[in-house]
Amino acid sequence: APRVLSGIQPTADSFHLGNYLGALRQWVALQDSHEAFYCVVDLHAITVKYEAEALRRRSKVSAAQLLAMGVDPERSTLFLQSHVPEHAELAWVLGCLTGFGEAGRMTQFKDKSSKQGADATTVGLFTYPILQAADILLYTPTPGPGERVFHVPVGEDQRQHLELTRTLAQRFNHRFGDTFVAPEAYIPQGAAKITDLQEPTAKMSKSASSPQGIIDVLEEPGPMRKKIMRAVTDTGSEVTFDEENKAGVSNLLRIFAALDGSSIEDLERRYEGSGYGQFKKDLAEAVLDTFGPIRERTQKLLDDEAELERILARGAERASAVAAGTMDVVRERVGFVGRG
Ligand code: TYM
């Protein structure tokens, strides 16, 4: 079967609706047709300010949420990035193939570093996309006969990092011989960029949004309903899709359509003349129908930490087997002496 790989940072106590619709829902679906590798990228999470104990807790909660959403450890490989040291090792090699200016053109780095200032910005944040390229390319399908397609399910904001990954794969192949398959971003139609409920022109984001702007997967029903009812709309009352003049309503329509499978036109017709209130109420129920069961399952999984650790250990073992094979080839091709 063709392979997929993706990663998510354990930087909050809960994933949010943007993560779910932009990426995680596709992770679950792709398991039916692909051999999947899904990684909680804890090395990426230390590129910004953090607390060690919070990181440890969040890595476990992240893994539990992925399982609760339907990532199936029998069919797929779910693991923590820090359990597989080859990620950091390949990142070093790829970093030596990346131009300083090239890395400096990454817009996520420019956004984050301009908000923090140069001295608060770590070198790790600068090289972050190179580590991401390593995450992906370690699991590249074996070149030669067989699958040449390699998908990476992500939201719209990861497009540029995926382009860099492709460039580095091609550069390595050109210089050292065919080794990596250049991966393709697998970005969903419609829900690739979910925006902030309070600031509907900005991306819903763990680092930038206020709590009122984010819908957390693990949120309690009461506060969740309130947030949706208070989502910024506009002074009108028509539930119609108009990105330019009605960014808030358009975002809610996109979310609703993605969750309930209706088209945006269907929803416009369903809520014609009924105002924003009923629309938001129904949207809140749709969100709760999806996240309620995930929240309960996550809680259960966290109650049995030993089992969670067993699942992650098995995932690390399977991921290591693939990563070690790729690194053997890489070390040889770049000119390192074998250990014999
Ligand atoms: P991260 O942890 O920020 O986000 C995880 C996934 O959620 C998507 N996403 C969104 N999609 C739609 N609307 C939003 N508002 C929204 N916010 C986040 C992201 O696009 C992502 O798919 N660099 C990656 C993590 C990473 C990775 C990888 C991904 C590390 N290594 C290898 C793929 C492959 C990141 O920061 O995701």
Side-chain angles (χ1 to χ4, degrees):
R3 270 194 194 153
V4 279
L5 173 134
S6 198
I8 186 158
Q9 298 192 74
T11 41
D13 285 314
S14 170
F15 296 143
H16 61 66
L17 183 66
N19 299 138
Y20 180 74
L21 292 179
L24 303 178
R25 205 165 61 147
Q26 284 67 249
W27 291 23
V28 174
L30 284 166
Q31 297 177 110
D32 294 338
S33 47
H34 290 69
E35 180 189 9
F37 291 82
Y38 295 134
C39 183
V40 174
V41 294
D42 46 3
L43 302 182
H44 280 104
I46 68 171
T47 57
V48 293
K49 213 164 160 249
Y50 78 101
E51 301 288 339
E53 276 316 312
L55 176 61
R56 214 183 322 275
R57 179 182 73 242
R58 288 168 173 175
S59 294
K60 289 179 187 168
V61 177
S62 295
Q65 281 175 95
L66 294 171
L67 294 166
M69 285 175 183
V71 169
D72 174 1
E74 299 301 321
R75 288 188 290 163
S76 304
T77 299
L78 173 67
F79 66 106
L80 303 181
Q81 189 186 29
S82 62
H83 286 176
V84 184
E86 284 85 353
H87 288 247
E89 188 182 2
L90 181 59
W92 179 259
V93 173
L94 295 176
C96 296
L97 291 173
T98 309
F100 192 83
E102 189 174 35
R105 284 192 289 278
M106 295 293 112
T107 58
Q108 285 214 334
F109 172 75
K110 288 198 278 187
D111 288 351
K112 283 194 190 169
S113 59
S114 69
K115 276 183 210 144
Q116 295 176 343
D119 281 335
T121 299
T122 66
V123 174
L125 189 67
F126 184 66
T127 56
Y128 176 118
I130 300 168
L131 178 59
Q132 180 166 352
D135 296 340
I136 298 168
L137 296 182
L138 275 176
Y139 303 91
T140 196
T142 323
E147 271 305 331
R148 302 297 296 179
V149 201
F150 186 25
H151 286 299
V152 182
V154 285
E156 181 61 42
D157 60 351
Q158 298 301 311
R159 201 181 277 282
Q160 195 189 24
H161 291 169
L162 262 291
E163 273 310 308
L164 178 69
T165 306
R166 290 177 62 80
T167 303
L168 292 176
Q170 285 154 358
R171 192 172 297 158
F172 188 103
N173 290 348
H174 187 72
R175 179 128 175 236
F176 300 112
D178 203 14
T179 308
F180 298 122
V181 173
E184 275 167 43
Y186 182 93
I187 297 177
Q189 294 276 321
K193 185 181 173 190
I194 301 301
T195 61
D196 186 301
L197 296 188
Q198 290 300 315
E199 222 183 301
T201 52
K203 180 179 80 165
M204 184 180 286
S205 148
K206 291 177 258 205
S207 54
S209 296
S210 73
Q212 291 310 309
I214 285 201
I215 297 177
D216 279 328
V217 174
L218 301 183
E219 192 142 10
E220 300 285 334
M224 170 103 78
R225 280 198 191 88
K226 255 189 212 143
K227 270 190 201 178
I228 293 173
M229 295 310 290
R230 288 179 189 158
V232 166
T233 42
D234 53 74
T235 52
S237 62
E238 291 303 309
V239 178
T240 50
F241 192 85
D242 177 350
E243 198 82 77
E244 210 140 285
N245 303 305
K246 294 162 83 83
V249 176
S250 301
N251 187 42
L252 298 181
L253 272 167
R254 242 191 325 257
I255 294 169
F256 206 148
L259 286 173
D260 116 318
S262 308
S263 70
I264 291 198
E265 297 74 48
D266 284 344
L267 291 171
E268 287 174 336
R269 242 173 279 127
R270 197 183 310 165
Y271 290 99
E272 202 177 326
S274 70
Y276 296 150
Q278 189 60 45
F279 170 64
K280 285 175 160 177
K281 236 190 200 150
D282 294 350
L283 172 60
E285 291 321 304
V287 173
L288 285 166
D289 284 347
T290 304
F291 287 170
I294 294 175
R295 189 165 57 96
E296 283 166 26
R297 281 197 293 271
T298 303
Q299 206 45 60
K300 279 213 190 82
L301 286 154
L302 288 171
D303 288 341
D304 189 353
E305 258 196 56
E307 172 62 10
L308 189 61
E309 282 168 13
R310 266 196 298 278
I311 290 172
L312 291 174
R314 215 173 344 125
E317 209 172 294
R318 288 209 296 249
S320 290
V322 177
T326 305
M327 274 319 292
D328 281 344
V329 175
V330 167
R331 284 192 215 100
E332 199 271 324
R333 299 226 160 136
V334 302
F336 297 151
V337 175
R339 243 192 341 194

